[in-house]
Amino acid sequence: MSCGWWPLPLPPDHSSTSLGSPNINNSNEDTVSIGDTDFCLKSVESHPSSSVKTNQFPSGDLHLRKQLSLACPAEESGQLLSSGVMELQNSNHMPTSFEISKGSTLVQEKHCKSERVHHKSTQFGDNLLHGENPRLIYINDPRRTNDKYEFTGNEITTSKYTLITFLPKNLFIQFHRVAYLYFLAIAALNQLPPLAVFGRTVSLFPLLFVLCVTAVKDGYEDWRRHRSDQKENNREALVLQGDQFQLKKWKKIQAGEVVKILSDETIPCDMVLLSTSDPSGLAYIQTMILDGESNLKTRYARQETVSALSENPISGLIREDSVSGLIRCEQPNRNIYEFTANMEFKGQKFPLSQSNIVLRGCQLKNTESIIGVVVNAGQETKAMLNSAASPSKRSRLEGYMNRETLWLSVFLLVMCMVVACGMGLWLQHHEEELNTLPYYRKVYFTYGKDKFKKYKYYGIPMETFFSFLSSIIVFQIMIPISLYITMELVRLGQSYFMIEDRYMYDSSSDSRFQCRSLNINEDLGQIRYVFSDKTGTLTENKMEFRRASVYGKNYGSSLLVTDSLEGQGTGAGKVGKRRWKLNSEIAIDYELMELLTKDLAGDDRTAAHEFFLTLAACNTVIPIPSSGRSSSCTRIELLDNVEAIDYQGESPDEQALVSAASAYGYTLFERTSGHIGIEIQDERLRFDVLGLHEFDSIRKRMSVVIRFPDDSVKVLVKGADTSMFSILAKGSERNDLVRHATESHLAEYSSQGLRTLVVAARDLTDAELEHWQCLYKDASTSLADRAQKLHQTALFIESNLNLLGATGIEDKLQDGVPEAIEALRQAGIKVWVLTGDKQETAISIGLSCKLLSTDMQQIIINGNSEEACKNLLAAAKAKYGVKSSNKKKRSLKSEDTGNNHLEIPNDTKSSNVREACAGKEEVNESLALIIDGNSLVYILEKDLGTDLFDLATSCRVVLCCRVAPLQKAGIVDLIKSRTDDMTLAIGDGANDVSMIQMADVGVGICGQEGRQAVMASDFAMGQFRFLKRLLLVHGHWNYQRVGYLILYNFYRNAVFVLILFWYILCTGFSTTSALTDWSSVFYSVVYTSVPTIFVGILDKDLSHRTLLQYPKLYGAGHRHEAYNMHLFWITMCDTLWQSLVLFFIPFYIYKESTIDIWSMGSLWTIAVVVLVNIHLAMDIQRWIFITHAAVWGSIVITYACMVTLDSFPILPNYWTIYHLVKSPTYWLTIVLIIIVALLPRFLLKALHQYLWPSDIQIAREAEILRKQANYVSSKTSEDSS
């Protein structure tokens, strides 16, 4: 073997995610098999040519319980374990295991008095499973690639419609709303001659208005999509044509073509890299459009293609025969973190992975140019396949509204039945007089061409049926079609004011509040459970290296902040030469620095050296040296050659560790596809990277195999303590001492709330290296189950490691988190924290953010089997008297935490509101449940969910540790499936997406882990503390407004319909109307709609200061005070009374007069508009200019419209309003109607507020008293001055 580059045919495979980035795709595992004791497995003999003994893997890692031969798989006849196994750690017993596999048959058999789990064996030598259908891409030969026309072009289409399909498709989508179908049926019935109650054109107006408004909105949005698509498709890129690159429109690019991208240009399609301007094949891309992350990612071209494919530097030409080959790749899919393919190029075959592909939409950065071959184009690119929106959610109030709409439909049918039956009886009673009665006759008596002609009389049965249908048409607005439009406009206005709220603006990230969903604003006022991530949500996710345990010795208890320049030696007062300037200050331990700078040969010095070398090398961080010199350094005379360097990576943890290594003199300054450059104490060294096994949530660790300049090979590993201690070498007394010391240091770090990692390493022998390379090559070139095979390959070298130490990284709490959690708790909201951190760290953070208190009794569930978890849950329930819920879906809306009433000063009345005991959830304020992810595996997959639910809902606090992303969603579903309570999930990373989408309301934090959570959320904000204002203020306002808006719309339409109903009863059940067609149409669309919109957007029952000062006011949403069935029936009773007053007072006043029916109709129209607006005015809490203009202006507009309509001679109500307004009786009648109709409502409201005031009414009274006191004091001070 030689120094420097080792001619290994296999560069590293760079997987999708780095350490600390939990967005690993583990969705393939779906079958669980539990085995409950250790394995006794037969050995597999090693290859005869290998002199190295077979490794016996420690029992802590389940995969390593089988002995793997060091022989190549192609020569190996033994079975290899399949992947997908998650380890379960138990400190007292041998670990219990469970295995997750896809599509495998699991057979359990007894062996050595224990259970074993066997998997269908997988041979690494098979690159394709039976039935695989790889995608064949012929490089620079698009015609041959697409000879069967199975590939799409690169033209994309995001629009929904074309000119031809717009009308039918848009109407089809709109009529998914059942209410629209109802009004379409009404309009169709009105077109039939026997049922033409209204004018045929007028009856279509409400539905056409709504459809046209929505169609215009949809059309405008789709026009913008068309324009965007056209702009995108007509962009140009350099495509190889012949022997040179020429510009070609994006939409004409095809799979198999070779494309050249220049710096800062956007990638037009998914391309496999063939060459880059960097000699090592390195390229930097920005993937913000895909995952929202601004950090640069590294991508690599294979050395085999880089060396063979190069442009002539003078002519810019490229030899066409040098660009040929075949790529076998996977079929198009949505997974942006994985890519599986092989390439055959110039007689060589080598694997391709996610690190060799650049995706459409990404931008090329810090790289002059790249050349690649198109593998996916157009709609088949990963960006387009991932363009689907997050699942839509529907408001809980909207669901209740549909329930009440059904009741209104029942009322409508009852009224229609009454009219139809009444008319049938009336016709039967007057059957002999039909020719002389005013409403029904068999012949026409009018003058003109119809005189004495047969009237369209169909007999009593058919007339009765037609009367029923006509009644439906007359009473159609009992179902308020305008409510849908009103709610959309109100939600839009509410969202605007939430976005513009300056108290929810985060200056540090320059991010405003975002409303990404307009359907669930009011749900923010009914949240009962908040499920929160910890890292980046409660904490800043800005990691700072604080503590280090190196070879059993603790460092970092006394840190001093350096000026971010690495290499400062402090031994004997000596100041070493410093070269690299970091962007952030790093606190260093000078005792540890002195150990590194001393010329020692002991184990401590060697371990410290390998410790920081591992921190600098075992990562995927990208070093970006700055071309400029640092000018902010002190003692400038000593810093002649200081360069600034910045680190970018997918994980803040990795960036913190690499920066810490640099501060201690181990600076990572270069990374390419095959090597890394690290400067160690002013000496630049080059290490060959032979392989990299990325972090994943199964192994919970990361490893890198590197060759040192002296040709020695080491594997450097870092990972979670639960996964690292089980694979350490055993048998040495010194190792045991180091391990015990490190464990105690880890416990100390965790108690301080630090995030911990364990660091280890070992030398690889030539035989081990050769066998690992063989495994690695076979796994890397496999198109089938590549991830699983790479996982097994990693397990081979991640064994018998020498412990080097551990790290403690601080992730500080965000500002205002403790106060926000306490306010939410006072509001009756339960906050559950779901984190991937270890238990001790999570508990420490829970204490610091006031989620936990020292006087709480902690129930800790750490089970390692189904039976153990069941016993722990049963014991906890028995000890604390937790009752079972009997698996019944129940609502906890009657629950209230703490006191049942609100205590407000200023000697206001105390609340008499008390909770009903029935169904009340018993919550022990001193209990905190702490459970780990391993236990949740058994609990959520088995029949223990109900036990966990009973115990968790009886505790004040729930803290879940070491949970996987899907387990977070499982916890949310545990509550959603068993209660009617509203849930909210908040997180900042890709691992929180499933939880955010599962909850009723999802909130994303614009944090350090990209924008995946934001893109999947319903609302987004910059800091966790804004959640307090979002729920307690905006949530309360929105819920109160929308709840009242729905009830008011039901009342407004029902009172109008009942007037028509009473009139029909008094006119022989004839379904005639005293109101004009236009009055019926304009009533809900023009006359009364505007005030409800402005009140729904602007009205405030309490100020934001009061709502924040008294969080318990939020409980009104839990008790459904603004909208419930009780309020609905009270509203309907009030509506019935007001309609009787509206109809019969004018009826009896004008009974003996000669007033015509159209004049009565005008009076009723004006009276009902004035009445419903004054009814609304009685409930408005916050009067501002625009509210006055909307309420009183609508009355003015009504008069203006009626005057205009009464001015047309062709209309039947011509000039009626002009005659009415001259009569004092007219005005006195309207006043009398208003007083009599609203007096009961006024008296009942006053009596209820005096005797049974709600918390909101008490708080409002306190506000008024405070304002009066402030006003009096200010007047007094003015008078005295």
Side-chain angles (χ1 to χ4, degrees):
M1 300 181 182
S2 59
C3 296
W5 287 97
W6 186 31
L8 186 70
L10 190 64
D13 173 76
H14 297 266
S15 301
S16 59
T17 354
S18 61
L19 180 64
S21 297
N23 48 356
I24 311 296
N25 188 340
N26 294 321
S27 60
N28 289 337
E29 298 102 23
D30 50 18
T31 307
V32 179
S33 174
I34 308 296
D36 119 298
T37 53
D38 196 14
F39 286 78
C40 296
L41 303 174
K42 294 182 179 180
S43 301
V44 179
E45 294 183 0
S46 61
H47 189 265
S49 63
S50 175
S51 61
V52 181
K53 293 182 179 181
T54 306
N55 288 333
Q56 175 64 50
F57 301 112
S59 62
D61 196 314
L62 184 60
H63 273 294
L64 301 180
R65 298 178 188 220
K66 272 192 178 178
Q67 295 176 329
L68 278 175
S69 169
L70 298 181
C72 294
E75 304 165 345
E76 178 63 44
S77 61
Q79 289 186 339
L80 296 176
L81 282 173
S82 64
S83 67
V85 178
M86 183 180 294
E87 357 178 86
L88 301 178
Q89 191 71 25
N90 180 14
S91 58
N92 300 323
H93 304 85
M94 294 302 291
T96 304
S97 66
F98 77 99
E99 186 166 11
I100 305 175
S101 65
K102 180 178 180 181
S104 299
T105 303
L106 300 178
V107 181
Q108 298 187 0
E109 62 178 17
K110 296 207 170 181
H111 185 74
C112 296
K113 298 180 182 180
S114 65
E115 279 191 7
R116 294 196 311 176
V117 178
H118 281 290
H119 236 233
K120 189 175 181 180
S121 62
T122 305
Q123 296 297 331
F124 283 0
D126 298 329
N127 288 343
L128 285 174
L129 294 178
H130 297 291
E132 282 289 328
N133 183 25
R135 190 179 177 95
L136 301 181
I137 306 295
Y138 294 92
I139 301 175
N140 200 28
D141 193 350
R143 181 173 298 179
R144 185 180 178 189
T145 298
N146 198 26
D147 59 348
K148 296 182 180 178
Y149 301 100
E150 53 190 10
F151 293 84
T152 63
N154 199 41
E155 184 173 6
I156 64 166
T157 303
T158 61
S159 57
K160 293 182 180 180
Y161 313 107
T162 64
L163 287 176
I164 298 176
T165 63
F166 174 75
L167 188 60
K169 193 172 181 179
N170 184 260
L171 289 176
F172 177 77
I173 293 174
Q174 288 199 60
F175 278 109
H176 274 69
R177 281 185 168 174
V178 179
Y180 287 12
L181 292 174
Y182 165 77
F183 283 99
L184 177 64
I186 296 295
L189 287 175
N190 198 69
Q191 305 307 307
L192 301 177
L195 307 176
V197 178
F198 299 126
R200 296 180 180 180
T201 304
V202 174
S203 64
L204 293 171
F205 181 80
L207 181 61
L208 289 176
F209 175 78
V210 174
L211 292 176
C212 288
V213 169
T214 307
V216 169
K217 176 182 73 71
D218 293 344
Y220 174 71
E221 291 177 352
D222 204 60
W223 173 76
R224 293 179 61 184
R225 293 192 196 99
H226 273 286
R227 188 174 60 177
S228 175
D229 291 345
Q230 187 176 11
K231 182 179 179 181
E232 187 83 357
N233 291 326
N234 288 326
R235 296 172 71 174
E236 294 182 333
L238 292 170
V239 178
L240 184 62
Q241 301 180 28
D243 57 357
Q244 61 182 345
F245 288 98
Q246 298 179 4
L247 289 175
K248 191 175 185 179
K249 290 185 178 181
W250 279 19
K251 63 183 179 181
K252 296 183 178 180
I253 297 176
Q254 300 177 7
E257 289 190 308
V258 177
V259 181
K260 182 178 181 180
I261 306 297
L262 304 179
S263 181
D264 295 326
E265 287 186 349
T266 302
I267 313 297
C269 38
D270 296 350
M271 307 191 313
V272 168
L273 285 179
L274 298 176
S275 177
T276 74
S277 56
D278 185 270
S280 63
L282 180 67
Y284 297 103
I285 63 166
Q286 189 176 66
T287 61
M288 182 175 292
I289 194 172
L290 290 179
D291 55 18
E293 297 182 6
S294 58
N295 293 333
L296 298 183
K297 313 290 193 308
T298 51
R299 295 294 182 265
Y300 306 90
R302 298 287 309 203
Q303 288 297 320
E304 294 85 347
T305 59
V306 171
S307 58
L309 194 151
S310 60
E311 288 184 278
N312 188 310
I314 299 176
S315 63
L317 301 179
I318 190 169
R319 290 178 53 193
E320 188 174 3
D321 58 353
S322 67
V323 190
S324 63
L326 174 64
I327 296 176
R328 287 185 172 89
C329 64
E330 61 189 5
Q331 292 295 325
N333 58 73
R334 296 182 179 182
N335 191 348
I336 65 174
Y337 300 108
E338 288 185 6
F339 177 70
T340 304
N342 291 332
M343 180 186 289
E344 296 177 9
F345 190 82
K346 294 188 178 299
Q348 302 181 68
K349 181 180 179 181
F350 43 84
L352 300 174
S353 68
Q354 185 258 353
S355 61
N356 305 121
I357 188 173
V358 290
L359 304 181
R360 180 189 178 108
C362 300
Q363 283 190 318
L364 184 64
K365 297 289 185 181
N366 294 356
T367 308
E368 184 179 338
S369 66
I370 61 173
I371 297 174
V373 58
V374 179
V375 291
N376 297 322
Q379 300 294 139
E380 293 180 340
T381 58
K382 292 181 182 289
M384 295 305 298
L385 292 175
N386 279 280
S387 62
S390 58
S392 59
K393 300 176 182 178
R394 193 179 70 165
S395 162
R396 181 70 57 86
L397 276 187
E398 192 171 336
Y400 294 155
M401 180 187 76
N402 292 337
R403 178 191 64 194
E404 270 67 82
T405 301
L406 290 177
W407 278 112
L408 292 177
S409 302
V410 172
F411 297 157
L412 175 65
L413 293 176
V414 169
M415 288 191 296
C416 294
M417 290 294 294
V418 169
V419 172
C421 293
M423 200 198 82
L425 295 174
W426 191 92
L427 286 175
Q428 190 174 11
H429 186 265
H430 299 86
E431 188 174 6
E432 304 300 328
E433 310 170 63
L434 293 182
N435 285 334
T436 58
L437 294 177
Y439 304 112
Y440 300 96
R441 54 209 180 273
K442 295 182 178 179
V443 294
Y444 281 101
F445 288 107
T446 55
Y447 291 97
K449 62 179 181 177
D450 292 330
K451 187 175 182 180
F452 298 118
K453 288 182 65 176
K454 277 290 199 179
Y455 183 71
K456 295 179 181 179
Y457 177 74
Y458 302 95
I460 294 178
M462 290 303 298
E463 288 292 341
T464 303
F465 177 68
F466 288 151
S467 177
F468 177 80
L469 296 180
S470 300
S471 301
I472 294 178
I473 298 173
V474 173
F475 304 147
Q476 59 180 296
I477 66 169
M478 174 68 84
I479 312 298
I481 190 173
S482 61
L483 179 56
Y484 291 97
I485 298 297
T486 302
M487 288 183 68
E488 294 295 329
L489 294 175
V490 165
R491 286 167 174 165
L492 183 64
Q494 291 172 351
S495 299
Y496 171 79
F497 284 103
M498 286 192 287
I499 293 170
E500 294 298 320
D501 189 342
R502 59 188 178 91
Y503 294 105
M504 293 197 295
Y505 169 75
D506 182 30
S507 58
S508 61
S509 61
D510 190 28
S511 59
R512 291 183 178 275
F513 182 81
Q514 300 177 39
C515 286
R516 302 177 59 84
S517 173
L518 298 180
N519 299 327
I520 55 176
N521 290 354
E522 58 270 22
D523 284 349
L524 293 171
Q526 296 178 281
I527 300 299
R528 172 70 74 175
Y529 287 89
V530 169
F531 301 92
S532 174
D533 178 39
K534 183 187 76 67
T535 304
T537 304
L538 300 179
T539 60
E540 294 180 349
N541 203 15
K542 295 179 180 178
M543 310 302 177
E544 296 182 14
F545 186 86
R546 289 298 184 192
R547 305 294 294 274
S549 172
V550 181
Y551 209 58
K553 188 172 182 180
N554 195 3
Y555 297 96
S557 55
S558 58
L559 296 175
L560 295 177
V561 178
T562 181
D563 57 359
S564 306
L565 292 169
E566 69 89 357
Q568 179 175 346
T570 58
K574 181 182 73 173
V575 178
K577 187 175 181 180
R578 293 172 289 186
R579 177 178 179 80
W580 299 102
K581 173 74 169 65
L582 300 175
N583 284 347
S584 59
E585 293 184 341
I586 305 295
I588 62 174
D589 186 295
Y590 282 89
E591 183 182 357
L592 180 56
M593 179 67 81
E594 189 173 342
L595 172 65
L596 293 170
T597 55
K598 283 183 177 180
D599 295 329
L600 300 176
D603 291 341
D604 292 351
R605 171 69 176 82
T606 303
H609 167 73
E610 292 188 355
F611 177 84
F612 283 104
L613 182 63
T614 302
L615 297 188
C618 188
N619 55 72
T620 57
V621 169
I622 304 170
I624 303 181
S626 174
S627 58
R629 301 296 188 197
S630 173
S631 60
S632 60
C633 303
T634 58
R635 298 196 297 273
I636 194 72
E637 66 274 10
L638 298 176
L639 308 176
D640 297 331
N641 193 27
V642 175
E643 294 185 15
I645 189 170
D646 185 26
Y647 293 114
Q648 292 204 13
E650 300 177 21
S651 166
D653 299 76
E654 285 197 334
Q655 292 175 254
L657 293 175
V658 175
S659 298
S662 180
Y664 282 95
Y666 292 73
T667 301
L668 174 68
F669 64 88
E670 182 184 15
R671 178 183 295 277
T672 68
S673 60
H675 78 273
I676 55 175
I678 300 178
E679 184 173 296
I680 303 176
Q681 305 299 341
D682 299 329
E683 180 182 1
R684 291 196 172 191
L685 300 177
R686 177 188 175 111
F687 300 88
D688 294 335
V689 179
L690 307 183
L692 180 70
H693 293 285
E694 295 260 2
F695 176 91
D696 64 61
S697 58
I698 299 174
R699 289 164 42 245
K700 300 180 183 177
R701 54 184 175 262
M702 174 186 185
S703 60
V704 60
V705 180
I706 63 173
R707 181 184 297 279
F708 285 68
D710 62 357
D711 271 353
S712 63
V713 178
K714 285 183 179 290
V715 54
L716 310 177
V717 188
K718 66 179 181 183
D721 54 352
T722 55
S723 68
M724 292 292 291
F725 284 132
S726 61
I727 57 175
L728 297 178
K730 297 179 181 179
S732 169
E733 183 178 352
R734 177 58 179 166
N735 288 345
D736 291 341
L737 292 174
V738 172
R739 173 174 177 161
H740 292 318
T742 305
E743 287 177 337
S744 65
H745 297 159
L746 286 170
E748 178 187 348
Y749 300 164
S750 298
S751 65
Q752 297 172 3
L754 302 181
R755 297 164 62 87
T756 59
L757 283 176
V758 175
V759 180
R762 77 175 174 98
D763 295 313
L764 290 181
T765 65
D766 292 342
E768 287 178 316
L769 177 62
E770 181 181 354
H771 180 64
W772 170 79
Q773 287 174 330
C774 191
L775 295 175
Y776 191 87
K777 179 179 180 180
D778 187 82
S780 300
T781 56
S782 175
L783 289 182
D785 300 325
R786 177 183 294 184
Q788 289 88 336
K789 294 176 181 180
L790 285 173
H791 175 86
Q792 294 175 355
T793 305
L795 298 178
F796 167 69
I797 56 169
E798 294 171 352
S799 61
N800 297 322
L801 302 176
N802 298 317
L803 179 61
L804 300 176
T807 62
I809 302 175
E810 182 181 20
D811 188 9
K812 293 183 177 179
L813 279 178
Q814 295 180 9
D815 293 337
V817 167
E819 294 80 5
I821 290 179
E822 182 59 29
L824 294 178
R825 178 177 294 160
Q826 292 181 21
I829 300 173
K830 288 188 173 184
V831 180
W832 292 17
V833 174
L834 316 178
T835 177
D837 283 337
K838 62 185 302 185
Q839 185 171 293
E840 294 79 4
T841 303
I843 291 175
S844 175
I845 294 295
L847 290 169
S848 61
C849 69
K850 297 184 179 179
L851 183 70
L852 299 173
S853 59
T854 54
D855 59 342
M856 281 186 175
Q857 300 182 48
Q858 297 180 5
I859 304 174
I860 299 179
I861 306 294
N862 288 340
N864 60 0
S865 68
E866 179 185 355
E867 189 65 26
C869 293
K870 184 176 181 180
N871 294 336
L872 288 171
L873 290 172
K877 290 175 64 176
K879 181 177 180 180
Y880 298 104
V882 177
K883 298 179 180 179
S884 297
S885 61
N886 296 323
K887 299 183 181 180
K888 294 172 69 174
K889 186 170 184 179
R890 57 197 179 101
S891 174
L892 307 180
K893 57 180 176 287
S894 61
E895 172 200 342
D896 196 12
T897 57
N899 297 329
N900 289 334
H901 63 276
L902 184 68
E903 297 178 1
I904 297 182
N906 296 330
D907 298 326
T908 57
K909 297 182 291 293
S910 63
S911 172
N912 291 316
V913 176
R914 291 294 180 265
E915 310 297 334
C917 294
K920 183 173 179 179
E921 185 191 43
E922 298 177 2
V923 178
N924 192 324
E925 296 295 321
S926 63
L927 289 183
L929 175 63
I930 300 166
I931 187 169
D932 69 339
N934 291 340
S935 302
L936 288 174
V937 169
Y938 298 108
I939 293 173
L940 296 180
E941 293 293 334
K942 300 298 178 181
D943 296 328
L944 302 177
T946 301
D947 293 332
L948 175 61
F949 169 79
D950 295 335
L951 183 60
T953 52
S954 300
C955 296
R956 186 182 184 188
V957 174
V958 176
L959 192 60
C960 301
C961 317
R962 296 295 198 196
V963 290
L966 289 180
Q967 287 179 327
K968 293 184 177 183
I971 291 294
V972 176
D973 187 56
L974 182 75
I975 296 299
K976 283 188 64 178
S977 61
R978 289 172 170 80
T979 74
D980 290 326
D981 295 323
M982 299 293 296
T983 58
L984 180 147
I986 180 170
D988 73 316
N991 59 327
D992 302 315
V993 168
S994 56
M995 172 179 71
I996 287 173
Q997 293 184 341
M998 175 62 70
D1000 295 299
V1001 178
V1003 178
I1005 297 289
C1006 306
Q1008 307 293 318
E1009 295 188 16
R1011 294 178 57 84
Q1012 298 97 318
V1014 170
M1015 291 187 289
S1017 66
D1018 305 303
F1019 305 95
M1021 53 192 182
Q1023 295 282 328
F1024 179 86
R1025 69 176 187 272
F1026 299 150
L1027 186 64
K1028 172 183 174 182
R1029 185 173 182 86
L1030 176 65
L1031 297 184
L1032 302 189
V1033 178
H1034 291 287
H1036 174 86
W1037 284 342
N1038 293 343
Y1039 169 70
Q1040 296 288 331
R1041 293 163 176 167
V1042 175
Y1044 179 79
L1045 172 72
I1046 296 173
L1047 288 174
Y1048 177 77
N1049 273 268
F1050 286 155
Y1051 149 78
R1052 183 191 65 183
N1053 284 31
V1055 73
F1056 185 83
V1057 168
L1058 286 173
I1059 295 175
L1060 303 177
F1061 178 69
W1062 305 133
Y1063 178 78
I1064 288 175
L1065 294 186
C1066 295
T1067 55
F1069 309 96
S1070 58
T1071 65
T1072 57
S1073 176
L1075 279 62
T1076 64
D1077 298 346
W1078 289 108
S1079 295
S1080 300
V1081 171
F1082 284 169
Y1083 173 74
S1084 57
V1085 176
V1086 178
Y1087 295 165
T1088 58
S1089 61
V1090 176
T1092 60
I1093 294 173
F1094 283 104
V1095 170
I1097 296 174
L1098 300 173
D1099 195 33
K1100 298 177 181 178
D1101 56 349
L1102 292 167
S1103 68
H1104 67 99
R1105 294 183 182 86
T1106 301
L1107 292 171
L1108 292 175
Q1109 185 178 0
Y1110 304 108
K1112 288 184 180 180
L1113 291 168
Y1114 187 82
H1118 295 158
R1119 296 185 292 270
H1120 304 284
E1121 289 184 4
Y1123 186 91
N1124 53 57
M1125 185 67 79
H1126 180 67
L1127 280 177
F1128 172 76
W1129 289 116
I1130 291 178
T1131 302
M1132 288 299 103
C1133 291
D1134 188 29
T1135 302
L1136 181 64
W1137 164 255
Q1138 293 188 27
S1139 67
L1140 289 170
V1141 172
L1142 270 167
F1143 177 79
F1144 285 103
I1145 285 183
F1147 180 82
Y1148 285 110
I1149 288 178
Y1150 287 97
K1151 188 175 183 179
E1152 303 300 329
S1153 69
T1154 58
I1155 189 172
D1156 67 299
I1157 193 60
W1158 301 115
S1159 298
M1160 286 293 291
S1162 296
L1163 173 59
W1164 278 323
T1165 301
I1166 289 294
V1168 72
V1169 171
V1170 174
L1171 176 64
V1172 298
N1173 277 283
I1174 294 180
H1175 176 109
L1176 177 66
M1178 288 176 60
D1179 296 326
I1180 294 177
Q1181 309 297 335
R1182 177 176 179 251
W1183 284 96
I1184 56 177
F1185 172 77
I1186 195 169
T1187 311
H1188 281 289
V1191 173
W1192 313 122
S1194 66
I1195 298 176
V1196 174
I1197 290 174
T1198 302
Y1199 267 108
C1201 289
M1202 294 195 66
V1203 168
T1204 303
L1205 291 174
D1206 287 1
S1207 300
F1208 290 98
I1210 60 173
L1211 296 178
N1213 54 322
Y1214 175 64
W1215 219 251
T1216 55
I1217 191 70
Y1218 295 97
H1219 293 297
L1220 285 174
V1221 296
K1222 298 177 183 178
S1223 169
T1225 306
Y1226 170 79
W1227 299 103
L1228 292 174
T1229 302
I1230 293 177
V1231 172
L1232 183 61
I1233 289 173
I1234 302 305
I1235 294 175
V1236 176
L1238 295 179
L1239 184 61
R1241 174 180 176 81
F1242 174 78
L1243 294 176
L1244 286 175
K1245 283 189 67 175
L1247 185 65
H1248 189 275
Q1249 185 166 343
Y1250 184 80
L1251 297 178
W1252 306 285
S1254 67
D1255 292 345
I1256 293 176
Q1257 291 165 346
I1258 297 171
R1260 188 183 306 126
E1261 186 176 337
E1263 270 191 356
I1264 296 172
L1265 292 176
R1266 279 196 298 270
K1267 289 179 181 178
Q1268 292 176 350
N1270 294 335
Y1271 177 78
V1272 171
S1273 61
S1274 63
K1275 291 293 291 183
T1276 304
S1277 60
E1278 288 177 5
D1279 294 340
S1280 61
S1281 62

